[in-house]
Amino acid sequence: MNKVQKIAITGNDEDQRLDRWLKKRFSYLKQSHIEKICRKGDIRIDGKKAKPSTRIEAGQIVRVPPFIEKPDNNFSKNLRPISKDDKIMLQESVIYKDEHLLVINKPSGIPVQGGTGQPRHIDGLSTVLKFGYEEKPRLVHRLDKDTSGILLMARTGKAAKHLTAAFRHRETRKVYWAAVAGAPTVKTGTINYGLVKMPGHGPNGAGEKMICVHPDDVKETANAKRATTDYAIIENAGQRVSWLIMVPITGRTHQLRAHISELGHPIIGDGKYGTNRQINEGDGWGAQLGGEISRKLHLHSKSLSLMHPFTNEVVSFSAPLPEHMIKTWDFLDWNVNMEIDDPFKKDGLRDVTFN
């Protein structure tokens, strides 16, 4: 592009961050370059300087300067073509779609977004999910790389605005199934530990792992955020392993994994929060069962309920377990097809709060 452009924001693009909108239109742009031209004032919205985080609105005019950075060979080389297998896999994962929403059963082991060393991710692969639309569906929430299950996407900008707001204002209901090491003493409870990111970078999850903070200490702990998780035991195999329903009331990074591990019962396969031991050495269980049980993470986003942003009807979606969890359920003689309602919608079940 060698001349200034003035681009009008349409309803389909409103309520996006400016940097994300720019990357969508000019996919070769790097975040560092966007930040630089915003600092210099080369990007303007209705004649005013704008930050990368500024949210654009319908009817606004964005001034876009001539870009020095152009698509180059390195960029084209970094774009991996989507394989036939990935196309089939992702299209077959679709659980529901209408004019506004698209829901997939995200496979375990695939990140939702790209990052360092992550060229294959749902956001990049989702170009195969256009189904006649000009643009690919947009992410409105996240799942961890190794967590499987319900992932909701928006097919239009207006839908993305409504859905993002619904998650932000906790107007959605997510229910997870998990297999955890050991058996929590209390069968039904609420965990209220705050969460703060471990400082630093490097091995053992530093800079990526969340640390639990007592609720009384959250205010005094820099960058700590309050977090709440409901859980209930559905089945257990003695004191060795339990099937839990977990409902995140807040939506913090690694919330479910960190919370249940803090009780000494990490999710099976979660070496980050439970180590790779198989025994309880007095400080909580290890995260592996051994034998025929898969070492993959046993955490699945089973269902999601929310009010449809355009029909105003409550819609609910459910996703079957991944293969490795089905095998574990079968091995433990748990009924993988059991229909279980959200237990926390009933009175009298939230009987203990862990503070």
Side-chain angles (χ1 to χ4, degrees), residues 200-262:
H201 299 280
N204 302 319
E208 301 173 358
K209 188 174 179 179
M210 305 303 289
I211 302 172
C212 286
V213 178
H214 192 282
D216 292 344
D217 299 328
V218 171
K219 286 186 177 180
E220 290 73 34
T221 304
N223 301 317
K225 296 181 179 180
R226 297 196 178 275
T228 302
T229 299
D230 287 336
Y231 80 88
I233 298 176
I234 304 302
E235 297 275 2
N236 62 281
Q239 296 298 305
R240 185 63 187 90
V241 58
S242 301
W243 168 7
L244 262 59
I245 278 185
M246 306 179 75
V247 179
I249 306 305
T250 52
R252 310 302 185 196
T253 300
H254 295 179
Q255 177 178 316
L256 302 183
R257 297 164 62 185
H259 266 175
I260 200 64
S261 178
E262 185 68 13

Side-chain angles (χ1 to χ4, degrees), residues 1 5-10 13 21-22 25-26 44 59-64:
M1 191 182 83
Q5 293 188 61
K6 292 186 177 180
I7 305 173
I9 301 301
T10 67
D13 288 325
W21 176 80
L22 285 168
R25 293 188 68 99
F26 309 101
R44 292 182 176 267
Q60 290 179 327
I61 302 297
V62 180
R63 177 194 182 277
V64 180

